[in-house]
Each structure stands twice: as structure tokens, then as C-alpha cells.
């Protein structure tokens, strides 16, 4: 068939080259639109790409400066007791008195240096992230985390310590289901910097969920009533524990189950008075949801297999 001819119902239809090229462009556009439509239909018919997530915890950043504030107040009161000029007439001090005053001033200056160092040490903070990959057969772990989120009070530091203790205990009960892990420690020079880091990491982890279906943060609770359809067998579970804590802390790199056990025990041993924030996140949260191997490798590439 020559260029510019179309075969329709046994006869050739002659077209000018310009009309033929226009028809060809229209045909290409229709073909591309059909391919795109098929792709979109296939994408929406694959619900396994979605992942539900749970989140429980809270923070007490605003209370972190109470100790240092009280120290500053005590120091200012002490300084007032000796820094105000005396209203009595001035007199010439003897050499012994001047020596005593010099020693007293040195002691005060030493106390100031020690106090400044102590306050500086208290202002430091660390953000710890512990991530654990488990086989989907650890169904009771999901139920334990669901129960913690549904029943926990997350309004005080003691409550957050209880959440951290129960969540780490739940992970310790499933050593044979843990297949991978990862930990990171971010020391910060101030509580404000630690707060920014903690919030950023928390947002990054939450963004991996298609939907937060169970939430209990700072005693604000939310639960999705939407039930997902029955999917393929769930393959994996990922639990992320984020902790903001006063001072500088070290945690082991996660290379095997013994390292994971040590890290979990370290988290459990943090005193409630030192906790600044706790967030426990897990996916999938809903019973019928899935987390495939492809999603695991894509969203959690730092997990190291044991």
C-alpha cells in the first residue's frame, strides 16, 4: 500500500500526505491514552501497595528545662546574698581579711564553673532510633502493640516510660521472629535541636504508611473504622522505636539478635525522668493488610538481615 492510502472495506481510500500524517498523530495519541488507562486500572486493582500503620507515644519537651531553670534561680539567689553592696561605712581590711575574701571569691568562681558545666551537660540530648524487621507469623506482637495504643495513657513521662517498657518487652518476647534490625544515635547539643531531629525522623517514618489506622499520641486517640479487603498472606512486620532522652547515650549497632536484645534492654533501662519523647510505630497495623518483601526493601533499606 502506498503512502497516503487507507484500505477500507475492500477499497483503497486516497489521502493527501498532510491528512495522512494528521490521522497518524491522532492514532498515536489514542494508543498512548489507551495504554495509560490500562496502567491506571492495573495500579488501582493492586491494593497491596497500601500499608496501614500504628503509632503510640508522646513527648514532654516543654518540661525539659525545669531542672536547669531551678538551678539558675538558686544561683541568682545565692549571688544576691553576697553581691549587693553593704550599707555600712567602708573600712580598711587587714591582710588576713583580704586573703580570706580572695579565697572566698575563688570558691565562688569555682562553684560557678561547676554549675555552668552541669547545666551545659543537662542541656544535651540524644535521639535514638531502633528498627526491627519480623516475620509475619509474629501476629501476637501486632495485637500487643494494638492493645498498648488503645489503653495507654501517654500524658506524662512516667506514662511514656511505661509505653516504652511494654513495647520493648513485646519485642523481646519474639526473638525467633526477628530477622533484621537497624539502630541510629543522633547526639544533639541542645534539647531544641533534639526535638527538631525527633520530629523530622518521626515524620519520615509516618510518611511510609498509606494510612495511620491506630494512633495514640499525647493522649489524643484515633482509630480508623475502614476495613481493608482480605489480601495475600502478610509477609513481614516492621516496628520502629524512637526515643528522645536527656544527655549523651550510646547504643550498639544491630548485627544479630544479641545486639538487638542489648539495645532493647538499654531502652528499657532509661529512667522516666530522662525521657523527652517516645514514639512506637509499626506496620502493617490492620490484620488483613500486607507488607511485601518489595515494600520492605524499598521503605526500609537500612535494615540489616541477621
Amino acid at each position: 500500500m502506498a503512502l497516503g492510502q487507507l484500505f477500507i472495506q475492500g477499497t483503497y481510500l486516497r489521502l493527501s500526505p498532510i491528512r495522512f500524517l494528521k490521522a497518524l498523530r491522532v492514532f498515536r495519541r489514542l494508543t498512548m491514552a489507551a495504554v495509560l488507562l490500562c496502567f491506571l486500572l492495573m495500579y488501582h486493582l493492586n491494593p497491596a501497595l497500601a500499608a496501614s500503620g500504628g503509632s503510640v507515644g508522646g513527648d514532654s519537651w516543654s518540661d525539659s528545662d525545669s531542672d536547669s531553670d531551678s538551678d539558675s534561680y538558686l544561683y541568682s539567689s545565692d549571688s544576691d546574698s553576697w553581691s549587693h553592696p553593704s550599707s555600712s561605712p567602708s573600712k580598711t581590711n587587714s591582710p588576713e581579711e583580704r586573703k580570706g575574701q580572695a579565697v572566698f571569691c575563688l570558691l565562688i568562681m569555682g562553684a560557678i564553673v561547676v554549675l555552668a558545666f552541669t547545666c551545659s551537660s543537662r542541656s544535651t540530648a540524644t535521639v535514638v532510633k531502633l528498627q526491627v524487621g519480623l516475620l509475619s507469623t509474629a501476629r501476637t506482637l501486632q495485637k500487643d502493640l494494638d492493645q498498648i495504643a488503645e489503653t495507654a495513657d501517654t500524658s506524662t513521662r512516667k506514662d511514656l516510660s511505661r509505653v516504652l517498657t511494654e513495647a520493648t518487652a513485646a519485642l523481646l518476647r519474639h526473638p525467633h521472629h526477628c530477622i533484621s534490625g537497624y539502630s541510629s544515635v543522633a547526639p544533639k547539643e541542645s534539647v531544641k535541636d533534639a526535638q527538631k531531629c525527633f520530629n523530622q525522623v518521626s515524620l519520615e517514618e509516618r510518611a511510609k504508611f498509606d494510612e495511620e489506622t491506630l494512633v495514640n499520641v499525647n493522649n489524643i486517640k484515633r482509630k480508623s473504622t475502614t476495613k481493608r479487603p482480605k489480601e495475600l498472606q502478610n509477609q513481614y512486620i516492621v516496628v520502629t522505636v524512637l526515643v528522645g532522652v536527656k544527655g549523651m547515650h550510646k547504643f550498639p549497632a544491630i548485627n544479630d539478635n544479641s545486639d538487638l536484645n542489648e539495645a532493647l534492654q538499654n531502652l528499657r533501662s532509661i529512667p522516666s525522668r530522662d525521657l523527652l519523647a517516645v514514639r512506637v510505630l509499626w506496620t502493617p497495623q490492620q490484620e488483613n493488610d500486607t507488607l511485601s518483601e518489595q515494600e520492605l526493601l524499598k521503605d526500609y533499606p537500612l535494615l540489616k538481615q541477621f
Side-chain angles (χ1 to χ4, degrees), residues 2 20 71 79 87-88 115 135-136 173 175 181-182 196 231 233 239 242 251 253 259-260 304-306:
F20 178 78
D71 291 340
S79 63
S87 58
S88 59
L115 182 60
L135 295 173
S136 61
R173 287 194 293 267
Y182 169 75
K196 291 180 180 178
E231 301 296 344
Q233 184 178 2
V239 179
L242 301 178
F251 283 81
D259 293 334
L260 176 60
K304 184 174 182 179
Q305 190 171 359
F306 299 155

Side-chain angles (χ1 to χ4, degrees), residues 81 95 203:
S81 65
L203 285 174

Side-chain angles (χ1 to χ4, degrees), residues 22-46:
K22 288 182 177 180
L24 186 60
R25 291 193 191 101
V26 172
F27 177 75
R28 286 177 177 175
R29 291 173 182 172
L30 291 174
T31 303
M32 293 177 63
V35 171
L36 180 60
L37 179 61
C38 292
F39 176 79
L40 291 175
L41 288 174
M42 291 176 63
Y43 178 84
H44 287 293
L45 288 174
N46 186 9

Side-chain angles (χ1 to χ4, degrees), residues 11-300:
T11 60
Y12 285 101
L13 177 64
R14 293 183 178 275
L15 296 175
S16 65
I18 296 177
R19 290 183 178 180
F20 178 78
L21 291 175
K22 288 182 177 180
L24 186 60
R25 291 193 191 101
V26 172
F27 177 75
R28 286 177 177 175
R29 291 173 182 172
L30 291 174
T31 303
M32 293 177 63
V35 171
L36 180 60
L37 179 61
C38 292
F39 176 79
L40 291 175
L41 288 174
M42 291 176 63
Y43 178 84
H44 287 293
L45 288 174
N46 186 9
L49 294 176
S52 61
S55 177
V56 58
D59 61 75
S60 57
W61 303 104
S62 58
D63 300 332
S64 61
D65 297 329
S66 59
D67 294 337
S68 59
D69 289 343
S70 61
D71 291 340
S72 300
Y73 175 77
L74 291 174
Y75 162 67
S76 62
S77 299
D78 293 339
S79 63
D80 288 343
S81 65
W82 58 267
S83 62
H84 285 313
S86 174
S87 58
S88 59
S90 60
K91 63 178 180 178
T92 304
N93 296 329
S94 64
E96 290 78 9
E97 291 177 335
R98 286 198 297 269
K99 184 178 180 180
Q101 290 175 351
V103 173
F104 179 73
C105 290
L106 288 175
L107 291 174
I108 292 298
M109 291 178 65
I112 292 174
V113 171
V114 172
L115 182 60
F117 177 79
T118 303
C119 292
S120 175
S121 300
R122 287 180 179 177
S123 65
T124 59
T126 304
V127 177
V128 181
K129 173 181 173 181
L130 177 64
Q131 211 156 52
V132 185
L134 304 97
L135 295 173
S136 61
T137 48
R139 285 294 186 182
T140 55
L141 172 65
Q142 288 175 297
K143 294 180 179 179
D144 290 342
L145 296 176
D146 288 350
Q147 184 177 11
I148 294 172
E150 291 172 351
T151 61
D153 186 346
T154 56
S155 56
T156 68
R157 286 185 180 178
K158 289 185 178 180
D159 297 327
L160 295 179
S161 179
R162 191 175 299 110
V163 168
L164 181 60
T165 300
E166 293 181 1
T168 51
L171 285 167
L172 287 169
R173 287 194 293 267
H174 296 83
H176 302 298
H177 296 98
C178 298
I179 59 170
S180 58
Y182 169 75
S183 67
S184 67
V185 179
K188 299 298 176 181
E189 295 183 354
S190 69
V191 172
K192 185 177 181 180
D193 290 341
Q195 182 180 5
K196 291 180 180 178
C197 177
F198 183 94
N199 291 339
Q200 179 181 353
V201 176
S202 178
L203 285 174
E204 290 173 356
E205 293 302 322
R206 292 171 59 198
K208 298 174 183 179
F209 303 157
D210 182 70
E211 180 186 4
E212 286 185 306
T213 48
L214 180 60
V215 178
N216 179 0
V217 176
N218 289 326
N219 241 23
I220 299 176
K221 300 180 181 181
R222 185 178 72 253
K223 185 175 182 179
S224 174
T225 56
T226 304
K227 295 295 183 181
R228 293 172 181 264
K230 186 73 174 179
E231 301 296 344
L232 300 174
Q233 184 178 2
N234 185 12
Q235 298 181 24
Y236 299 100
I237 302 169
V238 175
V239 179
T240 303
V241 182
L242 301 178
V243 178
V245 57
K246 294 180 181 179
M248 296 297 180
H249 295 264
K250 293 183 179 180
F251 283 81
I254 309 301
N255 297 309
D256 50 37
N257 270 299
S258 62
D259 293 334
L260 176 60
N261 183 78
E262 180 182 352
L264 290 171
Q265 295 291 354
N266 288 347
L267 290 175
R268 287 167 57 88
S269 65
I270 296 176
S272 60
R273 64 178 180 275
D274 291 338
L275 281 177
L276 296 171
V278 173
R279 185 69 63 90
V280 180
L281 307 103
W282 68 99
T283 183
Q285 185 274 318
Q286 290 192 338
E287 184 179 359
N288 294 333
D289 200 7
T290 65
L291 183 65
S292 66
E293 183 176 2
Q294 180 182 1
E295 292 172 307
L296 180 73
L297 296 175
K298 174 179 174 292
D299 292 335
Y300 305 95

